[in-house]
Amino acid sequence: MASTSKPFLATLAGASLTRPPFWLMRQAGRYLPEFRSVRAQAGGFLNLCFNPDLAVEVTLQPLRRYGMDAAILFSDILVIPYALGQKLEFLEGEGPRLEPIRSFNDIVKLTPEAIHDRLAVVYEIIKRLTHAIPENTALIGFAGAPWTVASYMVEGKTTRDFIAIKNFAFGCPQEFKRLLDLLVDVTTSYLIAQADAGAEALQLFDSWAGVVPASHFRSWVVEPTRKIVAGVRKKHPTIPIIGFPRAAGLNYSMYIAESNVTAVSLDPMVPTAWAAANAPKTMALQGNLDPLALVAGGAVLAEGVAEIRKAFTGRPFIFNLGHGVLPQTPPEHVADLVSLLRK
């Protein structure tokens, strides 16, 4: 069982602490000048993800500055398509580009049997981090949830309309189910391997859950998550798993009730009073400051922090943003946030 001497893990185990533990999604990122320096040295985003020395370094950078209660493995949700053999590159200023999957033949070309060989470096990074992070800091591993990863694999890039993935899901339902089932299997195996390497908690990022039609939310989002949670717990029964169905709206209720995750991360659109009233009192909640409030700083930041802390007083709660730290965030505003949380 994970040590509960670490505030982050104690909270996930059900403790309500006077000072909530905190970490920030994308806490290792472009807002830090030291990160930009290392990324330039790496020569490309995937190079950074797959270089153990550099990946460990950027994971540790925000801990040195701010002393978060958890470190999160520096990687990307798209290492799964890459490990499956899908062509992937990151273009500066444009984001990821993948060779799109549009047919059954594209799916059968994928090579799930090779993922652990291709991702062995990730497990090495986790092993190194277990020795490098401070004693009271927890280590989080993560993966993208199947719907979100499938969206990138079919669209071939970041999108705002999700036409290709929805056409594929509606027009080729058997092929789409095969892709989701494949992603459930490989994501489960990947997360188990992260836990084997030393990750103490896991987070599933379903960044595009909010674009799923309500009639398909259970089958495209909740069920794949539930299967992954069940599969991981067969090997690691006590490891906490945080689910993040970003922008799920009213479907947060279904996700909380049926996914079997340990904790739920909330996006900024979720009313704190609703979450406090509707999530089980023993379930840890995580979130949900608007990242732009951190960019703004000052009174906006202070008021946002105070409102969130008040809403979740008396229950297990981890302070975080409602999504990742934005590149334009002044580092001193993160320092101000830490000061507010430690008062």
Side-chain angles (χ1 to χ4, degrees), residues 38 84 150 173 188 207 217 230 236:
V38 173
L84 286 168
T188 301
S207 304
F217 192 84
H236 294 279

Side-chain angles (χ1 to χ4, degrees), residues 107 145-151 153-154 165 168-169 173-188 206 216-225 227-228:
I107 296 172
W147 160 257
T148 290
V149 175
S151 297
M153 293 176 77
V154 175
I165 182 63
F168 189 66
Q174 292 182 335
E175 291 86 348
F176 175 67
K177 184 178 184 304
R178 184 183 177 105
L179 180 58
L180 278 190
D181 288 345
L182 171 64
L183 289 171
V184 166
D185 290 344
V186 298
T187 303
T188 301
D206 220 340
H216 293 276
F217 192 84
R218 178 174 281 109
S219 59
W220 295 359
V221 173
V222 175
E223 273 301 296
T225 298
K227 290 175 182 176
I228 290 169

Side-chain angles (χ1 to χ4, degrees), residues 262-281:
T262 310
V264 173
S265 198
L266 309 171
D267 64 68
M269 288 80 79
V270 179
T272 53
W274 178 91
N278 286 277
K281 300 300 182 185

Side-chain angles (χ1 to χ4, degrees), residues 53-318:
D53 293 336
L54 300 185
V56 168
E57 167 60 21
V58 295
T59 301
L60 296 175
Q61 286 173 347
L63 304 183
R64 296 190 192 113
R65 271 191 183 246
Y66 307 116
M68 283 84 174
D69 294 294
I72 186 166
L73 162 72
F74 185 82
S75 188
D76 192 86
I77 65 171
L78 296 183
V79 298
I80 284 287
Y82 176 85
L84 286 168
Q86 189 174 13
K87 183 179 178 182
L88 168 68
E89 59 181 338
F90 286 83
L91 304 180
E92 193 66 34
E94 297 183 29
R97 289 289 185 272
L98 302 96
E99 189 171 2
I101 286 176
R102 299 291 168 81
S103 69
F104 175 80
N105 287 336
D106 293 334
I107 296 172
V108 298
K109 289 177 184 176
L110 299 173
T111 54
E113 66 279 0
I115 68 160
H116 293 305
D117 288 339
R118 291 171 177 159
L119 295 175
V121 66
V122 176
Y123 313 140
E124 172 62 23
I125 292 164
I126 292 173
K127 289 175 183 176
R128 292 194 190 188
L129 285 169
T130 62
H131 301 290
I133 62 175
E135 183 178 357
N136 291 326
T137 303
L139 179 58
I140 306 170
F142 74 93
W147 160 257
T148 290
V149 175
S151 297
Y152 281 104
M153 293 176 77
V154 175
E155 294 283 348
K157 60 182 179 179
T158 303
T159 180
R160 294 184 179 183
D161 51 35
F162 297 88
I163 291 173
I165 182 63
K166 288 187 177 181
N167 278 341
F168 189 66
F170 290 137
C172 307
Q174 292 182 335
E175 291 86 348
F176 175 67
K177 184 178 184 304
R178 184 183 177 105
L179 180 58
L180 278 190
D181 288 345
L182 171 64
L183 289 171
V184 166
D185 290 344
V186 298
T187 303
T188 301
S189 183
Y190 179 47
L191 290 175
I192 288 171
Q194 290 188 41
D196 289 343
E200 298 171 286
L202 303 168
Q203 178 153 319
L204 268 173
F205 287 86
D206 220 340
S207 304
W208 305 126
V211 305
V212 174
S215 56
H216 293 276
F217 192 84
R218 178 174 281 109
S219 59
W220 295 359
V221 173
V222 175
E223 273 301 296
T225 298
R226 186 192 63 78
K227 290 175 182 176
I228 290 169
V229 170
V232 171
R233 286 185 178 150
K234 285 181 181 178
K235 180 70 184 294
H236 294 279
T238 62
I239 194 164
I241 302 172
I242 305 167
F244 183 36
R246 187 169 76 98
L250 296 176
N251 287 316
Y252 261 101
S253 292
M254 184 194 304
Y255 191 95
I256 288 170
E258 299 180 20
S259 67
N260 290 333
V261 295
T262 310
V264 173
S265 198
L266 309 171
D267 64 68
M269 288 80 79
V270 179
T272 53
W274 178 91
N278 286 277
K281 300 300 182 185
T282 55
M283 172 180 269
L285 296 176
Q286 178 176 274
N288 64 333
L289 184 73
D290 191 319
L292 281 166
L294 186 57
V295 173
V300 172
L301 174 60
E303 290 164 7
V305 171
E307 189 273 328
I308 291 168
R309 290 192 65 173
K310 180 179 179 181
F312 296 125
T313 295
R315 67 169 303 133
F317 172 63
I318 297 162

